[in-house]
Amino acid sequence: MTNTQTHKDILGHPQGLFYLFFAELWERFSFYGMRALLTLYMVNKIFEALSTRDVAAAAVYASYGSLVYASTVIGGKISDTILGLRRSIFLGGILMSLGHFVLAIDSSMAFFLALGLIVVGNGFFKPNISTFVGSLYKDGDVRKDSGFTIFYMGINIGGWVAPLLCGWLAATYGWHYGFGLAGFGMLLGLAFFWNGIKRQVFGQAGLPPSQAVIDKPLLGVPQGILIPILAFVCAPLVALMLASYEPIANGSTIFGDQNLVNVIFKAIGVVILIYLAKVLYDATLEERKKLFVAILISFFMTIFWGFHELSGSVITLFAARNVDLSFMDAAQTNSLNSMFIIILAIPISLMWAYLAKTKRNPRTPYKFGLGLVFAGLSFYVLSISGLQANEEGLVPFSYLLVMYFLLSIGELFMSPVGLSKITDLSPKRIVAFMMGIWFLSSAYAFQVVGFISKELAVDSDNANVGGLETLSIYTEGFELIAMYSLGAGVFVLLSSPFIKKLMGKVH
Ligand code: GLN
């Protein structure tokens, strides 16, 4: 990719970075603003009449999350081969903002259609804007890592402010105002991106691989036009898949207590495992050792996100039903993770730099093990919160605060580190495929979220259930999650000397 030096740098980084920073900030604003409301909206509106509303909401949330991340594999591939980054980001942004506006319509059909639009839109937007950041720097440019750190800040500023504002709007004026604001956020993101293109701050970066490919007809229509049409057609199909949970009788569907998406993900999972075994088999011995670690890292990440992404489902419901909220409402507690990421990102990266200077920077497997231990500790804190519950079964807000503090430390030990290690550990010829596996780890994490959320679902005729009725369901569940996460973390730490050897020179 071409480096863009057509404009002067800002804070030592290409000017384009700051346009992408604000575009992604507003995209994540829309994504997390909507996510903060999603589970509460399903439980209180869409599935309100069902006693099994929690299970239904869990199935839809998990399937939506799985598809949102799995679609990035397809969106990344189409961008690489046909559309290029700029067109893909535009297409994705338009689909996503449309999705958020459709959510502002009060009907369950509109609800599923909106989720379909966001899934397809995110597939085109999210992987490609991250790749765009990388393309602003030449290979080996030392500023790249700090460029990504600045970009991760943008993500989390969006993720911090959006739940506060969308949550406030939803509570004060109604759900649909909250969703509507998310839609405007996405439009603002696109406006920033458009402005960057108009001012030519991206140089040649992000253009399609070739105009000939864009113009090449497929089914009689140029590919550059056909793909956006197909993307719009796909959205209602995804909506149908998500709506396949619509309960036939009291919570059961033709797929039992699953939906079509869960069934498909299980089948694809088996195919991926067989394919990964083949990739390992075909590799040379040196490659095989590193690839094995890349697969392990993706697997550990699945476990971590599987617990972390509970924040938009079970933890939001726990906040609504069992936390003594005085500063903010349950939807707004979704901002806490991003708030701590903003506070902790710089100190933690300074800590790695300091440790590196004295040659004590822990190698990747140790960071991953510690990340899982922090996740375990965070759920342990929630599990003991019941000891301080008042007579209404509400626990002090401080437990939630400490929980998100610890979980965010875990995230910073794993997420930014993992992405760059995947590129280091994969042979060049399959690095794009391994990136896909990395994104799929977030997709499969939502299958874990679905499983846990179903286990912790409350079955009640009363939509306003909570207090002493639900407290022990959550705290006992959190204790189990804590044990699993701590167990996984200790296992990774104990295996680290072995994993370290397999990694060779990669840190
Ligand atoms: N919070 C980060 C983001 O929104 C990572 C989320 C994930 O990969 N599951 O980009």
Side-chain angles (χ1 to χ4, degrees):
M1 283 283 180
T2 331
N3 185 11
T4 157
Q5 292 294 345
T6 47
H7 281 65
K8 60 179 186 320
D9 290 353
I10 301 180
L11 298 176
H13 285 273
Q15 209 181 8
L17 176 69
F18 296 91
Y19 285 84
L20 298 179
F21 172 96
F22 283 109
E24 175 67 343
L25 186 161
W26 285 108
E27 183 268 330
R28 290 287 100 179
F29 176 97
S30 76
F31 186 82
Y32 284 114
M34 176 271 194
R35 195 193 78 161
L37 305 178
L38 184 59
T39 292
L40 292 169
Y41 178 65
M42 284 195 279
V43 166
N44 292 302
K45 272 300 275 205
I46 302 282
F47 298 123
E48 187 195 7
L50 295 174
S51 71
T52 53
R53 65 186 79 75
D54 281 15
V55 180
V60 175
Y61 177 81
S63 313
Y64 161 75
S66 288
L67 288 171
V68 144
Y69 281 101
S71 66
T72 58
V73 179
I74 302 170
K77 183 89 193 140
I78 293 178
S79 164
D80 278 350
T81 50
I82 307 173
L83 285 187
L85 299 170
R86 296 185 189 190
R87 284 176 193 240
S88 303
I89 290 170
F90 260 109
L91 174 59
I94 291 168
L95 283 158
M96 282 183 84
S97 52
L98 205 66
H100 290 126
F101 288 129
V102 171
L103 262 183
I105 302 170
D106 192 1
S107 99
S108 84
M109 208 163 85
F111 172 73
F112 286 109
L113 178 63
L115 294 191
L117 285 163
I118 297 169
V119 162
V120 183
N122 189 71
F124 280 101
F125 193 100
K126 178 80 171 146
N128 296 318
I129 193 147
S130 324
T131 312
F132 209 148
V133 173
S135 77
L136 296 177
Y137 303 88
K138 279 190 183 130
D139 271 354
D141 189 332
V142 287
R143 300 173 303 167
K144 195 165 168 176
D145 274 5
S146 64
F148 270 108
T149 307
I150 295 175
F151 186 68
Y152 209 69
M153 280 287 186
I155 289 179
N156 284 291
I157 294 174
W160 169 48
V161 179
L164 296 176
L165 284 182
C166 295
W168 170 73
L169 274 180
T172 317
Y173 299 101
W175 296 107
H176 303 293
Y177 289 89
F179 290 130
L181 182 66
F184 278 110
M186 184 64 251
L187 281 186
L188 255 173
L190 278 184
F192 269 100
F193 188 57
W194 176 245
N195 203 11
I197 289 179
K198 249 184 31 202
R199 289 168 180 242
Q200 299 186 331
V201 296
F202 303 122
Q204 297 297 308
L207 292 172
S210 89
Q211 191 57 38
V213 182
I214 291 276
D215 296 336
K216 190 177 153 198
L218 193 73
L219 307 167
V221 185
Q223 295 196 106
I225 298 176
L226 185 68
I227 287 170
I229 296 175
L230 287 181
F232 274 90
V233 173
C234 269
L237 297 181
V238 173
L240 280 178
M241 283 163 80
L242 288 172
S244 70
Y245 187 82
E246 281 296 358
I248 296 169
N250 206 22
S252 85
T253 74
I254 45 170
F255 301 107
D257 63 354
Q258 307 205 27
N259 70 4
L260 185 54
V261 182
N262 302 136
V263 177
I264 291 175
F265 265 84
K266 282 208 176 88
I268 296 176
V270 174
V271 177
I272 293 174
L273 286 181
I274 295 173
Y275 191 74
L276 280 175
K278 185 181 162 345
V279 168
L280 283 176
Y281 181 77
D282 289 344
T284 65
L285 182 65
E286 263 321 292
E287 286 177 349
R288 191 176 303 146
K289 287 188 200 162
K290 290 187 183 153
L291 266 173
F292 182 68
V293 179
I295 295 167
L296 270 185
I297 282 182
S298 305
F299 176 70
F300 299 147
M301 211 60 231
T302 303
I303 303 176
F304 180 82
W305 287 132
F307 298 147
H308 182 291
E309 293 286 354
L310 285 169
S311 43
S313 61
V314 169
I315 300 173
T316 302
L317 289 177
F318 174 70
R321 294 166 177 170
N322 286 103
V323 177
D324 194 359
L325 295 167
S326 34
F327 304 99
M328 47 177 69
D329 65 25
Q332 291 175 320
T333 61
N334 276 270
S335 69
L336 296 173
N337 170 228
S338 283
M339 181 187 84
F340 282 122
I341 294 284
I342 295 168
I343 297 173
L344 294 167
I346 292 174
I348 287 184
S349 73
L350 288 177
M351 179 177 82
W352 297 145
Y354 172 75
L355 288 174
K357 253 199 218 155
T358 49
K359 296 210 178 340
R360 279 179 304 160
N361 188 8
R363 289 187 63 179
T364 305
Y366 290 106
K367 288 183 183 162
F368 268 62
L370 288 171
L372 284 165
V373 167
F374 272 108
L377 290 177
S378 72
F379 278 93
Y380 182 70
V381 167
L382 274 197
S383 77
I384 55 169
S385 64
L387 299 173
Q388 296 258 329
N390 64 17
E391 62 283 359
E392 293 163 55
L394 302 180
V395 308
F397 179 68
S398 50
Y399 281 90
L400 202 62
L401 208 61
V402 175
M403 180 267 176
Y404 273 118
F405 173 75
L406 294 169
L407 190 65
S408 306
I409 296 180
E411 180 178 339
L412 286 166
F413 272 40
M414 296 177 80
S415 175
V417 181
L419 189 61
S420 78
K421 291 305 145 193
I422 293 286
T423 45
D424 294 342
L425 291 165
S426 312
K428 273 236 160 5
R429 62 191 154 80
I430 53 163
V431 73
F433 167 74
M434 289 307 293
M435 266 310 173
I437 295 292
W438 174 259
F439 274 119
L440 280 180
S441 71
S442 287
Y444 274 92
F446 275 89
Q447 294 295 304
V448 179
V449 170
F451 174 77
I452 299 176
S453 308
K454 228 160 32 186
E455 294 298 308
L456 302 192
V458 176
D459 191 345
S460 167
D461 289 329
N462 174 11
N464 289 321
V465 66
L468 291 169
E469 240 181 299
T470 55
L471 183 61
S472 61
I473 298 178
Y474 290 120
T475 51
E476 283 165 22
F478 294 149
E479 193 179 335
L480 218 57
I481 295 169
M483 294 308 141
Y484 277 114
S485 192
L486 284 170
V490 170
F491 174 78
V492 177
L493 285 174
L494 291 177
S495 332
S496 289
F498 168 69
I499 302 175
K500 213 170 67 177
K501 277 204 191 105
L502 293 177
M503 292 174 75
K505 289 206 178 68
V506 177
H507 198 88

